[in-house]
Amino acid sequence: MLEQGLEPEFSPEATAEAQGIPGPAAPNGDGVRDLRSLLWCSIDNDDSRDLDQLTVAAPSSDRGTTVLVAVAQVCALVSPGSALDEHAGANTTSVYTPAKVFPMLPERLSTDLTSLSEGEDRLAMAVEFTIDDEGALLRSEVYPAAVRNKAKLAYSGVGPWLEGEGPEPAALAGVPGLAENLKTQDRVAQALKSRRSEEGALELETIDVRAEFDGDRVAALIPERRNRARELIEDFMIAANGTIARTLSGRHFPVIRRVVRTPERWSRIVEIAQALGEPLPSQPDPRALNQFLLKRQKADPVRFHDLSLSIIKLLGRGEYVASFPGESVIGHFGLAVTQYTHSTAPNRRYPDLITQRLLRAALSDAGVPYRPDQLKALAIHCTQKEDAAQKVERIVQKSAAACLLSTRIGEIFEGIVTGASEKGTWARILNPHAEGRVERGASGLDVGDRVRLKLLRTDPERGFIDFARVDGGGEVREPRARPPRGTPPVRRPAPPRRSRPGAPRGSSGAGSRVGTRRPRTPRPSGPRRSKRSR
């Protein structure tokens, strides 16, 4: 973290500030609606304690179904310029590693005072939107509200239950009416998903990996797949983020947008599709790409995770951009939306906290709390620090994988290329799911190629995993270039290693960014372990 310019520890001033806060923000005041009687619930990872949002469905006054998303009002306790704000603004995100969580805010706030904990009255920002049966938005509004979480639920229990493959979670059964409410939420979420798919939102499905420990030893890398509960939260957060962006724009306020520009390597995406017998247009087209993905998901569901991973790598990185009234807006290619921000996780993402401050000022008819130059600088800074945090997370995740693989040197694995450039070639093996650098035989490989790989060495301390490409006849070796005359010999430490300036664009190795989805590794004592939203 220090190498990436991140602060692992809170300053004494920030710690003292957190300890000095007497309690949660009072859930009352001008314009605060009392919604505590609604059947609010949270759905997150099993061990999550920093709960940023709640959801509930309610009958609409005319047609369609109304959904409400409550977002913790972190801005009520974290003031601009405070020591807490300085630390949050330095890292801009919580950093999640297999061994430890480094929260953006002290746990006294993120898992208690600003968490929408079960059975507690909390001040929130309510995002309300009404959706018709076809997934179209009919109306929306945002306002402060008092809420109470009726049930703390988990993806692992709610997902199988919604899919008809698991029992009703005990926490769900203990709240009368909540089961039916969740089924209504699921129906609306599926309608939203179908609507976004028709408009070109990409249907991608990757496998996130969680390191499982036996004491201090990495015992396994456990794949975690999406289910209906995760999709429900994802679809509602996308809708809520869009509503907040439109609200700010409608009040002529600036917006910190989350954008993914047109794919950086569209031509390679076209090549991959062509190899599978599906033509794509020469210019980026999200609808055409999504139709291709839907066909492949139906034709080859077993390998669809690998295809999704390749497309994500080729889409390019997401970033934060400050936009102002009257300016043209950059959209999110992967979501097929224009009005989009990050606003639903202010306990763990600084851009969301900035957006919440902007929203509170807009709703109270106050002035914009940031200058344009500040917002532009903050957007760049948040992008850079998020990239830095993800580098840390990937390196430590790869350290965990290197620990697990250290006894399997010389074994052969099936893999897929995840990054390729002049800086090097990276590939992910499939069992266990782990990524490393192709040190030998990488010539001619590109993202999406399937390869057989021999494990050469691991270095857990630095998170290095090295492979050699093999074919039916054995290991593939590239010719070694002869150095120019007069070049002094290069001494290399044992075992011989190449230094890594960073992974190529599109790789999930050090120095790169995964597009829409990323692994989060739960630990029982830490705060929320979830993926950064798109």
Side-chain angles (χ1 to χ4, degrees), residues 243-314:
T243 295
I244 289 176
R246 286 190 298 272
T247 299
L248 288 170
S249 297
R251 293 174 179 259
H252 305 289
F253 260 60
V255 183
I256 296 284
R257 299 185 187 277
R258 181 67 176 178
V259 306
V260 173
R261 302 173 190 271
T262 53
E264 300 168 350
R265 297 198 59 197
W266 178 258
S267 60
R268 177 56 183 165
I269 294 175
V270 172
E271 290 177 7
I272 291 175
Q274 188 66 47
L276 293 170
E278 296 289 343
L280 286 177
S282 59
Q283 297 300 315
D285 184 335
R287 284 187 174 85
L289 176 57
N290 194 50
Q291 288 303 308
F292 159 67
L293 291 169
L294 291 172
K295 287 181 182 178
R296 295 311 306 169
Q297 186 177 38
K298 183 177 181 180
D300 193 355
V302 174
R303 294 184 175 85
F304 186 67
H305 302 103
D306 301 336
L307 175 62
S308 294
L309 178 64
S310 299
I311 299 301
I312 286 173
K313 303 295 185 180
L314 295 166

Side-chain angles (χ1 to χ4, degrees), residues 300 303-304 306-307 414-417 430 445-446 448-452 469:
D300 193 355
R303 294 184 175 85
F304 186 67
D306 301 336
L307 175 62
E414 299 297 323
I416 184 171
V417 176
L430 309 179
L445 292 177
D446 204 347
D449 289 339
R450 296 183 179 277
V451 289
R452 299 182 74 235
R469 178 184 174 192

Side-chain angles (χ1 to χ4, degrees), residues 52 74-75 78-95 103-105 256 320 341-358 369-370 374-375 377-383 385-386 532:
D52 281 298
V74 178
C75 65
V78 181
S79 302
S82 65
L84 289 169
D85 186 59
E86 287 180 3
H87 180 87
N91 286 359
T92 77
T93 179
S94 295
V95 182
M104 185 183 81
L105 295 172
I256 296 284
Y320 295 105
T341 184
H342 268 177
S343 63
T344 56
N347 271 311
R348 62 187 180 89
R349 281 192 311 233
Y350 197 65
D352 302 54
L353 183 54
I354 296 171
T355 296
Q356 194 169 83
R357 289 168 177 164
L358 290 168
Y370 295 94
Q374 286 180 308
L375 286 176
L378 282 168
I380 295 170
H381 174 71
C382 288
T383 299
K385 291 301 181 179
E386 181 181 274
R532 266 181 254 281

Side-chain angles (χ1 to χ4, degrees), residues 152-400:
K152 181 179 183 293
L153 305 173
Y155 298 125
S156 59
V158 176
W161 172 72
L162 286 174
E163 293 160 359
E165 298 179 357
E168 181 176 293
L172 181 60
V175 182
L178 184 54
E180 190 61 33
N181 194 283
L182 264 180
K183 289 180 179 179
T184 300
Q185 291 186 48
D186 178 58
R187 176 177 55 79
V188 176
Q190 292 299 307
L192 283 169
K193 178 183 175 182
S194 297
R195 182 82 175 197
R196 289 193 301 108
S197 180
E198 292 172 1
E199 294 173 352
L202 304 183
E203 292 292 327
L204 297 163
E205 186 175 344
T206 58
I207 299 175
D208 298 329
V209 177
R210 171 176 56 86
E212 189 173 87
F213 286 80
D214 179 7
D216 289 336
R217 182 179 66 87
V218 179
L221 298 178
I222 307 298
E224 294 185 325
R225 290 177 170 84
R226 292 174 66 193
N227 59 32
R228 288 276 281 274
R230 292 183 183 274
E231 289 180 356
L232 184 156
I233 295 301
E234 178 181 301
D235 290 323
F236 283 179
M237 295 312 111
I238 293 171
N241 285 323
T243 295
I244 289 176
R246 286 190 298 272
T247 299
L248 288 170
S249 297
R251 293 174 179 259
H252 305 289
F253 260 60
V255 183
I256 296 284
R257 299 185 187 277
R258 181 67 176 178
V259 306
V260 173
R261 302 173 190 271
T262 53
E264 300 168 350
R265 297 198 59 197
W266 178 258
S267 60
R268 177 56 183 165
I269 294 175
V270 172
E271 290 177 7
I272 291 175
Q274 188 66 47
L276 293 170
E278 296 289 343
L280 286 177
S282 59
Q283 297 300 315
D285 184 335
R287 284 187 174 85
L289 176 57
N290 194 50
Q291 288 303 308
F292 159 67
L293 291 169
L294 291 172
K295 287 181 182 178
R296 295 311 306 169
Q297 186 177 38
K298 183 177 181 180
D300 193 355
V302 174
R303 294 184 175 85
F304 186 67
H305 302 103
D306 301 336
L307 175 62
S308 294
L309 178 64
S310 299
I311 299 301
I312 286 173
K313 303 295 185 180
L314 295 166
L315 286 177
R317 64 199 284 271
E319 60 186 295
Y320 295 105
V321 174
S323 67
F324 301 90
E327 293 183 348
S328 59
V329 175
I330 303 170
H332 192 300
F333 184 89
L335 299 182
V337 294
T338 301
Q339 296 283 0
Y340 189 69
T341 184
H342 268 177
S343 63
T344 56
N347 271 311
R348 62 187 180 89
R349 281 192 311 233
Y350 197 65
D352 302 54
L353 183 54
I354 296 171
T355 296
Q356 194 169 83
R357 289 168 177 164
L358 290 168
L359 184 62
R360 186 167 67 166
L363 294 178
S364 60
D365 295 323
V368 178
Y370 295 94
R371 300 190 312 271
D373 62 313
Q374 286 180 308
L375 286 176
K376 290 178 181 179
L378 282 168
I380 295 170
H381 174 71
C382 288
T383 299
Q384 293 171 341
K385 291 301 181 179
E386 181 181 274
D387 288 348
Q390 290 183 346
K391 289 176 185 177
V392 171
E393 292 165 352
R394 282 191 296 266
I395 290 170
V396 182
Q397 182 71 24
K398 288 172 71 175
S399 291

